[in-house]
Each structure stands twice: as structure tokens, then as C-alpha cells.
Amino acid sequence: MQPEYTMIFAICFSLAIILILKFIQFKKRTRNMAVIDAKCTDTTLRTTYQKNIRIYYYRYFYNDEEYQTSDQTKFMIPGFKPSINKNFKIYVDPKNPQNCITPLEIYYFKITLIGAFLLLILPFLL
């Protein structure tokens, strides 16, 4: 095997392993959490001098109590466009319901898993 291909294999596989380990950590973190529905209540675009920040606000109910959380991102993420009154699945810690994993974090980890599989397949295509 040529040295270039060996280097491509090593880089792609090591990145894929790192991404898979991050996804395993996410699954361990969500193992003891409850999955509930959250509703997007508001979307805001905060414009500053150098950047735009998109903020998404969510409301969810757990044990007949209302909680709120939010996501914020600097970039427009393809495939993630929450609209008002749209329902999302979130993970909530039963012991501390204010500790939750928001839809944006869940979306990031889905992209992480897809990227890991693409990095595993990429060297074989070359």
C-alpha cells in the first residue's frame, strides 16, 4: 500500500473512532434521562456588530411543572430550522428537570454519528 493511502486510512479511522467515542459518551449521558416533548415558543435573531446569533426558546412540562430552555448558535445549520409551535424530543434529568439536552445538541450528535460512518467508508472509496 502506498504511503499516501496509509496516511488517509489512519487519519480517517482515527477521526471516526474519536467521533464514535463522543457519540458513546452522549448515549451514556442520556441513558438515565427521560425523553419528553418540548415546544418551540420563540425564535430570535440577535444582531451584533460582528455576528448574528440565532436563539431558539423551548418550553416543556415535567411532573406537572413548566420549564424553559434555549439554544443559541452563530451559524445557520442546514437541516435544523425550528419554527414556532413545533414539537421536539428532548432529554430531561429526572432528578433535576432543569438539566436537559436540547434539540440542537441532539442534532449535533446525529451529525457526529453520520460523520463517523462517512469517515469509515471514505478510505475504501479512494
Side-chain angles (χ1 to χ4, degrees):
M1 186 178 276
Q2 296 176 356
E4 298 89 25
Y5 293 129
T6 306
M7 185 72 90
I8 290 172
F9 265 86
I11 290 172
C12 288
F13 282 162
S14 61
L15 288 175
I17 289 171
I18 290 170
L19 292 178
I20 289 172
L21 289 175
K22 287 180 80 71
F23 188 76
I24 290 172
Q25 286 177 346
F26 171 73
K27 282 306 211 183
K28 282 183 182 178
R29 199 170 87 184
T30 61
R31 182 175 298 147
N32 296 329
M33 292 185 155
V35 179
I36 62 170
D37 286 329
K39 185 177 282 192
C40 183
T41 57
D42 191 20
T43 60
T44 305
L45 179 65
R46 184 185 305 160
T47 306
T48 60
Y49 180 68
Q50 295 177 347
K51 59 187 172 194
N52 294 333
I53 300 174
R54 289 165 180 78
I55 304 173
Y56 307 107
Y57 298 97
Y58 306 102
R59 179 181 299 149
Y60 60 95
F61 294 94
Y62 188 73
N63 290 338
D64 297 328
E65 292 184 30
E66 179 180 343
Y67 298 97
Q68 292 182 355
T69 188
S70 65
D71 281 331
Q72 62 181 356
T73 180
K74 284 197 288 188
F75 306 108
M76 189 86 153
I77 300 170
F80 185 76
K81 179 71 175 153
S83 58
I84 296 175
N85 293 330
K86 188 175 179 185
N87 287 333
F88 292 96
K89 300 285 186 191
I90 64 170
Y91 291 94
V92 176
D93 189 5
K95 296 175 185 170
N96 183 8
Q98 292 177 346
N99 184 12
C100 65
I101 298 176
T102 59
L104 185 61
E105 291 179 75
I106 295 170
Y107 188 75
Y108 282 152
F109 282 108
K110 285 180 184 177
I111 289 179
T112 300
L113 187 63
I114 291 170
F117 285 130
L118 288 177
L119 284 171
L120 287 175
I121 294 171
L122 180 69
F124 295 110
L125 296 177
L126 298 176

